[in-house]
């Protein structure tokens, strides 16, 4: 585990926070696959289409079940979703508090133009207006700390891929 991109204590939750195209999934790929929870994956499992937003409630239930399963066993978790809405973060923080586990955030504070360009190069392109709207919801590091994240890491440029060896 020495090649992890940041220290993640046993039982900790790491919430990735940023707009589509900001580098969250590339960053998450540096962690073991069993640690990573991703709504796109669960939407795809439910509908064969990770972009099908109608499957988000089911995907969120799956994510919460897996989150609870891992936290109950004191296992590390990386939540690889946008996590841009305050109510989503509040729900995540409530679960983490219930299990009395450490929680940190990685804030992907990349410029909108960078996220838009990265998004345009992906296999599944999020409509540019959605990227823009989500980018506008980006919280500050101080806001995340006030919400209850014990530590906030800020990333302001796109992360290069270098997955963890498993």
């Amino acid at each position: 585990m020495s090649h992890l991109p940041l220290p993640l204590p046993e039982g900790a939750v790491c919430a990735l926070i940023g707009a589509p195209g900001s580098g969250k999934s590339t960053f998450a790929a540096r962690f073991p696959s069993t640690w990573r929870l991703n709504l796109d994956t669960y939407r795809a499992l439910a509908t064969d289409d990770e972009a099908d937003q109608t499957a988000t409630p089911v995907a969120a239930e799956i994510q919460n079940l897996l989150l609870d399963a891992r936290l109950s066993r004191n296992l590390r978790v990386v939540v690889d979703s946008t996590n841009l809405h305050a109510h989503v973060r509040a729900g995540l923080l409530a679960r983490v508090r219930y299990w009395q586990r450490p929680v940190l955030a990685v804030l992907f504070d990349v410029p909108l133009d960078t996220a838009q360009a990265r998004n345009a190069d992906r296999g599944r392109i999020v409509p540019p207006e959605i990227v823009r709207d989500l980018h506008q919801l980006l919280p500050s590091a101080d806001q995340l700390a006030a919400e209850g994240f014990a530590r906030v890491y800020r990333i302001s440029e796109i992360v290069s891929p270098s997955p963890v060896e498993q």
Side-chain angles (χ1 to χ4, degrees):
M1 299 298 167
S2 61
H3 294 83
L4 295 178
L6 56 85
L8 196 53
E10 188 174 327
V13 172
C14 175
L16 308 184
I17 301 167
S22 63
K24 296 178 307 298
S25 294
T26 300
F27 182 83
R30 293 175 158 185
F31 292 95
S33 62
T34 57
W35 296 13
R36 301 188 309 251
L37 302 182
N38 180 287
L39 288 177
D40 288 345
T41 300
Y42 310 134
R43 280 192 287 263
L45 289 170
T47 67
D48 289 336
D49 180 3
E50 66 182 26
D52 185 345
Q53 297 299 307
T54 66
T56 299
V58 169
E61 285 184 45
I62 293 167
Q63 180 173 283
N64 286 337
L65 285 170
L66 292 170
L67 179 62
D68 285 340
R70 292 192 62 80
L71 292 177
S72 72
R73 291 165 177 82
N74 203 34
L75 298 172
R76 295 170 179 95
V77 180
V78 176
V79 182
D80 175 19
S81 301
T82 61
N83 295 307
L84 288 168
H85 292 92
H87 73 277
V88 170
R89 293 190 305 272
L92 177 63
L93 287 163
R95 282 192 132 69
V96 172
R97 274 193 303 275
Y98 174 82
W99 292 108
Q100 300 177 357
R101 302 291 185 239
V103 63
L104 56 101
V106 179
L107 177 62
F108 289 80
D109 189 10
V110 302
L112 176 58
D113 291 346
T114 302
Q116 293 281 27
R118 176 82 183 254
N119 177 59
D121 286 341
R122 299 191 316 177
R124 180 182 68 88
I125 298 174
V126 176
E129 62 276 8
I130 301 293
V131 175
R132 183 196 63 234
D133 292 348
L134 288 172
H135 190 273
Q136 291 174 352
L137 297 174
L138 201 66
S140 69
D142 289 342
Q143 181 181 345
L144 293 172
E147 287 177 7
F149 289 93
R151 179 107 194 236
V152 177
Y153 296 89
R154 187 174 160 270
I155 295 178
S156 58
E157 57 188 46
I158 293 296
V159 178
S160 300
S162 64
V164 171
E165 294 179 22
Q166 297 190 26

